[in-house]
Amino acid sequence: MAVTALYSLYRPHTFDEVVGQNYVVFTLVGALKKDSINHAYLFTGPRGSGKTTVARILAASVNCKSDSIACGKCESCLAIQNGSYQDVVEIDAASNRGINDIRNLKERINYMPVDGKYKVFIIDEAHQLTTEASNAFLKTLEEPPSHIIFILCTTEPQKIIPTIRSRCQIHQFHSVSDKIIQSHLKKVAGLENESLPDNTLELIAMQAKGSVRDALSLLDVVMGLEDRNIERVREILGKATFTIVGDFISCLCERDVKKSLTFIENLYGEQTTNLLVFREDVVAWLRGLMLITAGVKYSHPMLDRMQDQALDFKLRDLMVCMDAFTNKEDRYSPYVPQLILELPALNAIENMNPRQDF
């Protein structure tokens, strides 16, 4: 029997179940209660923030057989959930992006809804439409039939031509906070009769970077482990232990180029740590040192060590380090992966105050 992934099993089917997008939900529910339906919507925001999910809930709301807004239980809502509802059409613009695809779409909108009040077209990755396709779609968007609703979803709204954006009601989705994701993970784990340490759930939430979907995928992996302690989970996620991250920071404390480069080479040679993830962990550690140096209350499993290391930095030094390790110009090279750490390390050490100055 096939096992359903957690992100699919716990995908929201009603507005009440949507996680971390309160403003969007509040606005859409308010409009639905007033029967103020727009003919075109543009949902923008980072991946995994719930754009397509909310699009489906909106489609269910305008076609729900009950008196409520997307009840999640009626025949229409259930059919939309399993993808069998004829009046909700999802189009992936990444693979259906040409002018011929838009011409086919224009033919389909002339057909009246079969089961519901509205025929809803959800266009994922809408920014992938070609210029010709976008211009052809614009004509359809200007005067659509009254039974048609378009919902465009995109992570890159700036790539959608302004004339299309101006004809849509725009809703901005945001990355979900770590605290909200952690709370949601705890709830899901409980529903699965699983118990995970809070620090493990916190780590998963941080690793998901604002994406509820990614967080549930990671939770799926972790729940398959026998050993779920924080260090084991860090290893599974390609993250080095706190001790190893702290050891590298010590190289920066000492302003030691040779020691830093040797450390990176050994780290790469072990082939157990994702260097890109390690770089992110370095930035997080440096931020902790910044907060400690600035006198801000901060908690961490290795706080004592961090407080000792903070004595080797001025705030300016930490700004230099964080600027170096967040520099997007240091692109990952599959030919020399170590450079993703070597370049910022060299940059930081060369531009910090000498250690003996304070």
Side-chain angles (χ1 to χ4, degrees), residues 282-311:
V282 168
V283 172
W285 190 290
L286 290 168
R287 176 181 175 272
L289 295 181
M290 176 190 71
L291 295 176
I292 292 169
T293 303
V296 177
K297 186 177 180 180
Y298 182 70
S299 61
H300 191 276
M302 301 194 74
L303 183 60
D304 289 343
R305 185 176 191 186
M306 295 180 76
Q307 288 173 330
D308 289 340
Q309 290 178 337
L311 300 175

Side-chain angles (χ1 to χ4, degrees), residues 21 44-51 154-155 172-176 209-210:
Q21 304 297 341
T44 74
R47 57 185 295 274
S49 56
K51 300 182 296 297
T154 179
T155 55
Q172 175 68 51
F173 288 66
H174 298 280
S175 296
V176 182
K209 297 180 177 62

